[in-house]
Structures are given as structure tokens and as C-alpha cells.
Amino acid sequence: MGVFSRQRFFQELAHGCLLPTAQQGLEQVWQLLVICLVCRLLWMLGLPSFVKHLCTVAGGFYTLYLFFELHMIWVVLLSLLCYLFLFLCRHSTIRGTFLSITVLIYLLLGELHMMDTTNWHKMRGSQMVVAMKAISLAFDLDRGVVTNVPSPIEFMGYIYFVGTVIFGPWISFNSYKEALEGRKMSLRWLLKVSVSWVKSQICLVVSNCVAPYLFPYFIPVYGDKLLRSKKRRKIRGSLAKWLLAYENTTSFHFSNYFVGYLSETTATLAGAGFTEEKENLKWDLSASKPLNIEFPRSMVEVVTSWNVPMSRFLHTYVFKSALKFGTFTAIMVTYIASALLHGLSFHLGAVLISLGFITYVEHVLRRRLAAIFNACVLSRKCPPSCSHQNKKKLWVYMINIAFSALALLHLTYLGSVFNSSVDYMEEDEDDITHHTIQKWSELSWTSHWATFGCWILYRLIL
């Protein structure tokens, strides 16, 4: 959309952005939704288990072809490599670690040598889901959660489960087997699917049509000043730079929520994503928690709410495995593993490694403050039965609000590197590196300096 007056902008918004965005979103995924529903109906027919596995493999293959065409072969090769490794090492007790290394090497070689960066990055989401599924299965076999190596058709059914193969989320092997049991359709199931779909479309519209124009049109902080400028970046005020960074961050956040809610839709539609307690079935799959991110208590809460299934995967299979080397080492190994799974992208790696330091310093500082003041100021909200004496005093709220404000600053700063221009730089890593450094330089490296200051404060009160 071009530069309009505020009145003209709102007149053009509906047919110039809102409707085309929603229409394009539906056109891209309607076949995936239909395949998920068909598979869901097949699970309920009481077919033999191997037939159900074959159906989900067929559905997954067709879906991969719809989105990636013949480039899907690289996803297939990764799955074959993973099963070959699991079969050859079926008597080992450290399959998880070795398969993790093998998968990361494959992903790195694929990005560097096997094909062009643009097409590889298009498949990055599916590659990550396949990698996480295979790695989690290997660790579950080591820990006895899964007793035997699945048959080839079971493994491929899990890997290519149509509800998760494109957008995720990660689900465990046991969750996949439960999905194939074909639970009865219910009003709660239909409501979950519908609500997740509507939320995904709202987030898509906000990401494309609201967030990029947040301050010049929706919240006119500068009046018409931003509109009169041919290039909004000519406004050099410090506040303007942070407002523009916040626009980029908000757009990036809602694009993530879109994918998260869409993954909830596809997984639930295909029959996964439920918990069962005393014959009470709850369709409660949650891929992300936007309110915990947009109104954060802490950065720790942000990273665990950004992608809930992936956070659970990293905590269960990476953090816990590395915890024997110390908390700081385990945190950094977790973020490095996440960065490698996301691919060799400087801005992603820089953000994730920065998050590692930010969350660690925040965690230890707030833990120390909680001990000194005997107050509920930890990174995570205390349960009602906690032993802290100071829970609801004004100064306790003020400390928590201060850390929430700091978390918003971190989010705006880190998210400033994600905007539409980065998508056109994917083939030139030097441009992405320069873009990231330039963005953070414009914001005076504020987040990194704030983290260093918090670490100094922690060391002084230790």
C-alpha cells in the first residue's frame, strides 16, 4: 500500500490489504486443511494400524509436494537418514546425542552445499519438524519412554503426519499414536479448530496490514509528520527509531502467531493435540501464547511462550541433557541448538544467542533479588503457596513492572532486525549481517548494554 492521508488509508485498507491477505492465506492452505480432515475421518473407520500409517505417509507426501514440489526430496532424504541411523544403532544407549549431531551436520551441509539458500529456507520449517521428531524419538528410546524402534511404516507415518509436516508443531511419537486411535469428533474439537483458524487469520491480517502502519496511521504519535516524509527513516529522532523498530517487531510477532495458530488448526483437525483425564477429552494444544509475549513478565516467559511445543522439546531433550554441565552451559547449549535447527542465518543466530545471555542474566538477577527482599519477583510467577513474605506490596509490583518494561525493550530491540527487506537478502549473508549490525547500531546496542548492566548489578549484590 502506498503513502496516503490517514482518511484515504482507512478507505483503502479493506479491499487493498485486508481482503487480499485473507484470501491469499486461504488459497495457500485450503488443500492442506482438506487432507487433514480426510485423514481425521479415516482414523475413525477402525482400519488396521499399518493402513493408517500408510494413509498419513501418503497425505504427508502429497502435502509436501504441494508446498515444495520436487524439492521435498531433501526432507525425504533426512527422514531416511534418521531411520537408517536408528535401525543401525538400535542396541545403543546414546542414540539421541549421536542422531542430534548427524541431523545438524545434514542440515548444515544442505544449506551450504546441497541446494540454493532460497529454496532451502522455504523448507526450513518442515526440516526442523522432521529433525525434532527424529531426535525426540531417539532420546525416548534411550530413556525407555518408547520401548522398541518403530517399524519403517510407523516411523514414516510419525514423520509425515499430515497435521504437522508443514507448519508443525512438534509432537511426540506417543502423541502421534494416540492421534491415530481416532477419537470421536465433538463440538469441542470443532470449536478448537474454528477458533484457532480465526485467530490465525486475524494474526495474518495484523502482521501484513496493521503492524507495518501502526504509528503513522493507527496510533499517530507524530501526527502527519511520518506521512509527509517520503522515507520515514529520515525522521532521525530517537523515539521515532524505536517506534519503527516496534512496528517491525510487532509484524514479526504476529507472523509467528499466525504460523502457531495455523499449526494448531492443522494438528487438531488431523486428530492430534489433546489431553485425556478420567475419560475427559480436552483439545488444548497451544502453539504460542501471545499475551505472555506482548505483555511479558520476563524474557524467560517470552521464550517459553514463543513456540510452546519447541520450547518443550528443547527443555526435555537438550536442556535437561546438558544440565549436568551447569545451568549457564545448559542454557547456551539450548540456544545454540535452536540456532542450528533454524539454519545458518546471522540475524537468527545473533538474536538467539543474545536471548541466551539475556534470559540467564535476568533469571539469576531476579532470583537473587527474590532472596534478598523475600519477595515474589522471580522470572516466573510464584504459586499462591510460595514461601515469600512480600507478595502484593506496591514495591513488589513496581519491580515486576520494571522488568516487564525491560523485557519489552529487549523484544523491540531484538525484533527490529526482522522485516520484509530481510527476505530479499537470504542469498547474501553479508547483507543480512550488515543489516543486523546497522539496526542494532541505530538503537545504540541498548539491549546488550542493559544486559551487561544487569549482570554487573547481579555481581555486586551476589
Side-chain angles (χ1 to χ4, degrees):
M1 294 179 67
V3 178
F4 302 119
S5 67
R6 190 164 292 105
Q7 183 179 1
R8 177 74 184 281
F9 171 81
F10 286 110
Q11 291 174 349
E12 298 285 339
L13 183 63
H15 65 82
C17 187
L18 296 180
L19 294 179
T21 297
Q23 182 180 358
Q24 186 179 11
L26 179 60
E27 288 175 351
Q28 290 182 349
V29 301
W30 73 267
Q31 293 184 75
L32 171 61
L33 298 177
V34 170
I35 296 171
C36 289
L37 180 59
V38 170
C39 289
R40 174 83 169 94
L41 295 172
L42 288 174
W43 307 157
M44 300 172 61
L45 295 180
L47 300 172
S49 60
F50 78 92
V51 176
K52 292 182 179 180
H53 295 309
L54 281 174
C55 290
T56 194
V57 171
F61 267 51
Y62 180 69
T63 303
L64 283 171
Y65 182 77
L66 283 177
F67 281 83
F68 309 127
E69 297 182 340
L70 293 180
H71 293 303
M72 64 173 279
I73 190 65
W74 299 107
V75 182
V76 176
L77 285 177
L78 175 59
S79 64
L80 293 174
L81 173 65
C82 291
Y83 189 77
L84 178 64
F85 183 94
L86 288 176
F87 180 77
L88 294 177
C89 301
R90 59 190 179 278
H91 301 301
S92 174
T93 58
I94 51 175
R95 287 166 286 198
T97 302
F98 284 126
L99 181 60
S100 301
I101 296 172
T102 303
V103 166
L104 291 177
I105 290 174
Y106 175 88
L107 294 177
L108 295 178
L109 288 176
E111 188 162 357
L112 292 173
H113 300 294
M114 292 181 187
M115 64 183 299
D116 62 280
T117 304
T118 301
N119 286 317
W120 185 265
H121 282 181
K122 290 179 181 178
M123 300 185 295
R124 182 160 50 195
S126 290
Q127 298 274 30
M128 285 176 57
V129 173
V130 170
M132 290 191 294
K133 285 183 176 180
I135 291 170
S136 66
L137 177 58
F139 276 107
D140 285 344
L141 286 167
D142 291 340
R143 297 170 181 177
V145 177
V146 177
T147 53
N148 298 309
V149 176
S151 65
I153 192 63
E154 283 181 308
F155 177 82
M156 293 303 170
Y158 171 49
I159 293 296
Y160 297 115
F161 180 59
V162 67
T164 62
V165 70
I166 300 296
F167 298 104
W170 166 81
I171 60 173
S172 67
F173 181 70
N174 288 332
S175 296
Y176 162 71
K177 292 175 65 177
E178 291 175 353
L180 261 61
E181 293 177 7
R183 305 305 172 95
K184 291 182 180 180
M185 293 183 178
S186 63
L187 183 60
R188 290 182 178 179
W189 169 79
L190 181 60
L191 183 63
K192 172 64 177 177
V193 172
S194 302
V195 170
S196 294
W197 169 253
V198 170
K199 287 181 178 179
S200 73
Q201 296 308 293
I202 291 174
C203 290
L204 179 62
V205 167
V206 171
S207 177
N208 289 344
C209 305
V210 177
Y213 313 101
L214 188 60
F215 292 108
Y217 294 107
F218 291 92
I219 308 175
V221 176
Y222 277 85
D224 290 335
K225 188 177 180 182
L226 287 177
L227 300 181
R228 289 196 301 268
S229 176
K230 293 182 179 180
K231 293 184 178 180
R232 287 190 285 158
R233 295 191 182 282
K234 289 182 179 179
I235 302 175
R236 299 298 183 183
S238 178
L239 177 60
K241 292 178 181 179
W242 281 98
L243 293 179
L244 294 174
Y246 187 77
E247 283 183 349
N248 290 337
T249 299
T250 303
S251 180
F252 173 62
H253 284 188
F254 277 86
S255 67
N256 176 72
Y257 305 150
F258 160 68
V259 174
Y261 284 125
L262 183 57
S263 70
E264 286 183 18
T265 304
T266 56
T268 306
L269 192 60
F274 61 86
T275 55
E276 190 174 14
E277 296 179 2
K278 298 180 180 179
E279 299 183 357
N280 183 24
L281 203 64
K282 294 182 179 180
W283 297 93
D284 54 1
L285 176 63
S286 177
S288 61
K289 299 178 180 179
L291 290 179
N292 290 351
I293 299 170
E294 301 305 320
F295 306 98
R297 176 185 175 88
S298 65
M299 288 300 293
V300 172
E301 186 177 66
V302 168
V303 297
T304 55
S305 301
W306 182 259
N307 186 327
V308 177
M310 186 172 187
S311 175
R312 189 180 302 119
F313 164 84
L314 291 170
H315 180 78
T316 303
Y317 302 107
V318 181
F319 180 79
K320 286 185 176 179
S321 299
L323 194 56
K324 58 187 175 183
F325 301 109
T327 302
F328 176 74
T329 301
I331 290 174
M332 295 312 300
V333 168
T334 302
Y335 281 100
I336 291 172
S338 179
L340 292 174
L341 283 171
H342 280 85
L344 291 177
S345 182
F346 178 82
H347 66 304
L348 280 171
V351 167
L352 288 168
I353 299 303
S354 297
L355 275 172
F357 287 102
I358 290 170
T359 52
Y360 173 76
V361 170
E362 179 193 56
H363 167 69
V364 294
L365 174 59
R366 296 184 72 163
R367 184 180 61 184
R368 183 59 183 158
L369 291 174
I372 292 174
F373 297 116
N374 198 9
C376 295
V377 294
L378 294 169
S379 297
R380 297 181 184 274
K381 189 175 181 179
C382 293
S385 59
C386 74
S387 59
H388 294 129
Q389 292 182 358
N390 300 304
K391 298 182 179 182
K392 297 184 179 181
K393 292 185 178 181
L394 179 60
W395 59 269
V396 174
Y397 286 116
M398 295 303 295
I399 292 176
N400 286 323
I401 290 173
F403 277 106
S404 294
L406 182 60
L408 285 173
L409 181 143
H410 287 313
L411 284 170
T412 303
Y413 174 87
L414 295 174
S416 65
V417 302
F418 298 99
N419 58 30
S420 58
S421 63
V422 176
D423 297 334
Y424 301 100
M425 302 179 189
E426 287 189 338
E427 294 188 6
D428 193 339
E429 192 63 31
D430 290 338
D431 286 345
I432 296 178
T433 303
H434 175 74
H435 169 80
T436 303
I437 294 174
Q438 179 185 12
K439 284 290 185 179
W440 286 349
S441 296
E442 288 178 358
L443 301 178
S444 304
W445 302 90
T446 304
S447 185
H448 290 93
W449 282 114
T451 302
F452 180 69
C454 288
W455 181 77
I456 293 294
L457 176 59
Y458 165 69
R459 297 304 299 179
L460 290 174
I461 65 176
L462 186 61

